[in-house]
Amino acid sequence: MSVVLTVEPLTAEAFAPFGDVIEASDSTRHFPINGGNTERFHDLMTIATDPQGHAIVSIFRGQPRSLPFALVMLERHPKGSQAFMPLSGRPYLVAVARPGEGVSVADVRVFLARGDQGVNYAPGTWHHPLLALHAVSDFLVIDRAGPGGNCDEIVLAPQGVIPA
């Protein structure tokens, strides 16, 4: 049995319960720097780690997912935030659920992110691993490294289906 999930546009307001949207938008604080040659979009997210961890920067190369897509699991990182910023300029999907011990497919929201929007998952936010679309896509990722396990997984039953 499967539950068909609705895909909605990614906006800062809709995504707020799960973390931050990273984008150069007129709705974010921005101002000119470098003698007016550069526009700085300021303080777009908070990088969170536990006291034993530290922030790291990586590049993830995601293989494209075909739609419809069966959403059978989610993961979370309780010790730190995890930010994804697309480098390839392609849209991608973001499937999330609020932090908590239990999660079901009824808790999942799916967002379509534009190729110029990133996301920063708040610590403990349930999310599906990278959901690149159309072609192999690179993402700049800022997350936590340090001692101790920082990835929990849960199987969704019933599973969700992201339609084509």
Side-chain angles (χ1 to χ4, degrees):
M1 181 166 168
S2 299
V3 174
V4 176
L5 301 168
T6 302
V7 178
E8 55 189 294
L10 180 65
T11 66
E13 296 77 23
F15 196 74
F18 314 107
D20 308 301
V21 173
I22 307 164
E23 64 182 335
S25 159
D26 285 339
S27 65
T28 61
R29 184 172 171 220
H30 60 99
F31 47 88
I33 61 171
N34 303 124
N37 191 54
T38 301
E39 188 77 8
R40 178 179 177 144
F41 291 83
H42 186 70
D43 198 14
L44 300 177
M45 65 177 218
T46 300
I47 300 168
T49 70
D50 65 337
Q52 292 76 38
H54 62 279
I56 61 170
V57 176
S58 306
I59 292 178
F60 288 15
R61 181 162 290 154
Q63 300 299 311
R65 308 290 183 137
S66 296
L67 299 178
F69 179 78
L71 199 75
V72 298
M73 62 79 70
L74 296 174
E75 66 180 27
R76 68 177 176 180
H77 307 286
K79 295 183 178 184
S81 59
Q82 189 177 44
F84 288 80
M85 190 68 200
L87 298 176
S88 301
R90 291 184 194 84
Y92 62 102
L93 293 173
V94 176
V96 291
R98 291 179 191 241
E101 289 310 307
V103 65
S104 74
V105 72
D107 303 315
V108 176
R109 290 181 67 184
V110 181
F111 296 95
L112 177 61
R114 298 186 320 259
D116 64 344
Q117 291 178 303
V119 295
N120 182 40
Y121 300 122
T125 297
W126 291 101
H127 61 278
H128 193 277
L130 193 55
L131 291 167
L133 298 172
H134 311 301
V136 174
S137 299
D138 288 348
F139 291 79
L140 183 76
V141 178
I142 304 170
D143 62 351
R144 176 209 182 264
N150 189 34
C151 185
D152 301 327
E153 293 183 357
I154 193 165
V155 174
L156 296 174
Q159 67 186 20
V161 174
I162 300 172

